[in-house]
């Protein structure tokens, strides 16, 4: 898989270096280890983008950093705010000219105060998985993001808005478990005590269900939350909706999910898009409850289907319709009657094509289906 190396061109992309890598780099330059901590505090806790302003570092080191390293990783070219719910979608230009989107989703309490500010980040330029209901699939995969490009989405959003992101979800463009190494580096940078940006409990990674990578993620020390895009408990239907399901059957996915919870002690969430008369009957709800119950403390996140533009004219994609509100309600109540904790995800940012499954660089180019 092609990635822009952190050492691309003549400069190092410093925002992709976790603490141990920074310490190593600085030691190679003859600096004491604690300089790494100081540097992280400037970069992440204080959000300073200019080496000359890092006044606790010796002048000579600041000059050396400016010559050898760059902090210009992702550049916000455009952003758009939803008139409906305040969601903001950012279009970021990357050093090689590729583009990605990130989405900032505010949640308010009953008195209108900001309760939570969730950033949804991308991990790949495009996506190779070809889920038939998702607009990002139309872009195909161009490349993986490197750790600096992932880390910087958060920093640039905070800088541009002046707000502090409280929660982070890997639910933007791409399949995060196909870029696990860079994703984990980013997680370790954000959650380092000297960055002070996020706690691992406030980070959720969503996957289409890559079984070996779920086991690998479970072994990492970061202990982030996991969400699995399930969408049906019927293996044959899942294969038609998500081609990756052919490689990783439901039973194996269920086993991996269970292992993740046991190993990390973090509860997992199953995501379930509701398609009208396809997976939203009372029998489907009963089957989902049986499936979910196997994983201790698992929750269900129901997602309204957001119709997309590029749909392939033949096959199942053309038949997909959103469940109407009354079927969504009935499905949720049926799950509740089985004692399953269930939430309905809001369609934040739907008017600016920022809701789940809608990220396809709209406006950047016309989206046409190029798949098989
Ligand atoms: N590749 C990861 C990350 C994407 S997360 C994954 O598959 O989980 C985005 C969530 O939105 C996933 O649960 C995905 O299945 C869902 N989604 C995709 N297209 C959608 C659409 N058109 N409407 C509603 N949800 C969609």
């Amino acid at each position: 898989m092609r990635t822009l190396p952190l050492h691309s061109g003549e400069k190092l992309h410093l925002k992709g270096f976790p603490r141990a890598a920074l310490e190593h780099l600085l030691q190679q330059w003859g600096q004491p280890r604690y300089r790494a901590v100081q540097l992280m505090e400037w970069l992440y806790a204080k959000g300073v983008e200019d080496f000359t302003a890092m006044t606790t570092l010796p002048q000579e080191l600041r000059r050396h950093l400016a010559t050898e390293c760059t902090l210009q990783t992702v550049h916000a070219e455009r952003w758009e705010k939803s008139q409906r719910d305040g969601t903001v979608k950012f279009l970021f230009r990357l050093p090689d000219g590729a583009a990605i989107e990130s989405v900032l989703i505010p949640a308010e309490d009953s008195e209108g105060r900001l309760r939570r500010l969730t950033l949804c980040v991308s991990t790949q330029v495009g996506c190779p998985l070809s889920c038939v209901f998702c607009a990002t699939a139309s872009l195909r995969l161009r490349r993986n993001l490197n750790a600096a490009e992932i880390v910087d989405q958060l920093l640039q959003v905070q800088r541009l808005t002046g707000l502090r992101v409280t929660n982070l979800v890997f639910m933007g463009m791409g399949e995060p478990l196909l870029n696990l190494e860079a994703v984990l580096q980013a997680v370790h940078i954000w959650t380092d005590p000297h960055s002070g940006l996020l706690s691992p409990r406030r980070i959720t990674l969503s996957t289409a269900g890559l079984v070996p990578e779920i086991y690998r993620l479970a072994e990492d020390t970061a202990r982030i939350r996991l969400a699995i895009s399930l969408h049906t408990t019927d293996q044959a239907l899942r294969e038609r909706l998500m081609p990756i399901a052919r490689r990783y059957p439901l039973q194996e996915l269920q086993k991996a999910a269970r292992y993740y919870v046991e190993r990390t002690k973090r509860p997992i969430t199953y995501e379930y898009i509701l398609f009208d008369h396809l997976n939203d009957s009372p029998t489907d709800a009963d089957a989902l409850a049986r499936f979910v119950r196997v994983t201790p403390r698992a929750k269900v996140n129901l997602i309204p289907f957001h119709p997309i533009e590029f749909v392939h004219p033949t096959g199942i994609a053309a038949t997909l319709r959103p469940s109407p509100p009354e079927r969504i309600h009935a499905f949720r109540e049926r799950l509740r009657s089985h004692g399953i904790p269930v939430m309905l995800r809001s369609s934040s940012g739907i008017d600016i094509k920022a809701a789940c499954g809608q990220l396809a660089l709209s406006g950047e180019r016309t989206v046409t289906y190029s798949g098989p």
Side-chain angles (χ1 to χ4, degrees):
M1 174 53 52
R2 203 166 66 81
T3 310
L4 275 194
L6 292 173
H7 304 250
S8 82
E10 55 298 352
K11 303 258 188 179
L12 303 179
H13 284 270
L14 210 57
K15 286 176 184 157
F17 284 62
R19 179 141 48 100
L22 259 191
E23 285 171 351
H24 183 72
L25 179 74
L26 290 166
Q27 276 179 329
Q28 280 181 332
W29 294 353
Q31 296 287 333
R33 276 162 65 112
Y34 68 83
R35 294 277 181 232
V37 166
Q38 290 179 313
L39 189 52
M40 289 190 92
E41 285 169 354
W42 283 111
L43 284 175
Y44 306 117
K46 301 192 183 107
V48 170
E49 298 250 294
D50 172 8
F51 292 116
T52 55
M54 300 184 180
T55 47
T56 55
L57 303 180
Q59 287 255 4
E60 196 196 327
L61 175 59
R62 282 185 257 166
R63 270 198 298 272
H64 196 59
L65 282 164
T67 334
E68 298 295 323
C69 306
T70 178
L71 300 175
Q72 305 309 313
T73 306
V74 307
H75 172 71
E77 201 166 273
R78 220 178 39 229
W79 53 95
E80 201 179 345
K81 188 168 183 171
S82 159
Q83 297 307 311
R84 242 173 121 247
D85 52 45
T87 296
V88 188
K89 182 168 78 169
F90 297 85
L91 182 113
F92 285 115
R93 187 68 57 191
L94 309 180
D96 66 347
I100 50 158
E101 291 175 329
S102 318
V103 182
L104 187 64
I105 309 150
E108 293 176 350
D109 63 17
S110 52
E111 270 128 56
R113 281 182 304 242
L114 194 61
R115 181 167 54 90
R116 213 171 47 220
L117 194 58
T118 303
L119 182 66
C120 173
V121 296
S122 291
T123 54
Q124 298 186 303
V125 182
C127 184
L129 290 189
S130 306
C131 300
V132 301
F133 45 78
C134 180
T136 308
S138 70
L139 300 174
R140 302 299 190 89
L141 179 66
R142 182 151 160 195
R143 66 173 174 85
N144 276 343
L145 299 190
N146 67 32
E149 292 166 322
I150 300 174
V151 165
D152 207 22
Q153 293 173 58
L154 170 61
L155 297 176
Q156 295 312 319
V157 165
Q158 292 199 152
R159 207 169 58 84
L160 288 163
T161 60
L163 297 170
R164 208 182 150 126
V165 168
T166 62
N167 294 65
L168 187 129
V169 292
F170 287 103
M171 297 188 188
M173 295 165 64
E175 166 51 51
L177 291 188
L178 285 176
N179 191 12
L180 186 52
E181 199 185 328
V183 162
L184 287 175
Q185 278 171 3
V187 165
H188 285 279
I189 291 168
W190 288 323
T191 60
D192 190 287
H194 301 288
S195 310
L197 289 172
L198 286 168
S199 139
R201 284 171 194 278
R202 290 174 177 267
I203 300 179
T204 303
L205 181 149
S206 175
T207 177
L210 278 73
V211 167
E213 284 79 8
I214 292 177
Y215 285 105
R216 272 176 57 203
L217 184 64
E219 300 312 317
D220 193 81
T221 51
R223 300 273 189 267
I224 59 175
R225 289 176 189 262
L226 183 66
I228 296 178
S229 296
L230 186 66
H231 307 327
T232 171
T233 54
D234 175 337
Q235 176 65 23
L237 176 60
R238 196 158 186 274
E239 289 180 15
R240 291 169 71 202
L241 293 170
M242 308 171 74
I244 190 72
R246 290 179 211 146
R247 186 144 16 125
Y248 304 116
L250 281 167
Q251 268 183 342
E252 286 180 31
L253 186 56
Q254 196 174 38
K255 252 175 43 196
R258 202 188 158 120
Y259 181 81
Y260 192 83
V261 174
E262 281 162 4
R263 182 87 177 112
T264 64
K265 309 279 182 271
R266 293 272 190 259
I268 72 154
T269 303
Y270 285 109
E271 293 157 293
Y272 195 98
I273 304 175
L274 286 161
F275 299 108
D276 192 24
H277 284 92
L278 186 71
N279 65 351
D280 65 347
S281 72
T283 323
D284 293 319
D286 297 344
L288 178 58
R290 281 195 301 276
F291 186 94
V292 168
R293 214 179 269 129
V294 172
T295 318
R297 298 201 294 150
K299 292 183 280 202
V300 171
N301 220 319
L302 299 175
I303 313 180
F305 172 49
H306 308 123
I308 52 173
E309 284 165 12
F310 71 94
V311 171
H312 191 265
T314 58
I316 193 169
T319 69
L320 299 176
R321 301 279 176 272
S323 299
E326 60 279 7
R327 284 183 77 82
I328 295 181
H329 182 75
F331 194 91
R332 183 173 62 179
E333 292 314 307
R334 185 91 177 187
L335 276 179
R336 285 208 173 125
S337 74
H338 288 291
I340 304 290
V342 51
M343 293 260 299
L344 177 62
R345 190 176 290 174
S346 77
S347 299
S348 299
I350 192 158
D351 54 333
I352 53 165
K353 292 204 168 28
C356 289
Q358 292 190 308
L359 298 185
L361 307 174
S362 49
E364 164 83 357
R365 64 175 191 79
T366 313
V367 178
T368 45
Y369 191 84
S370 56

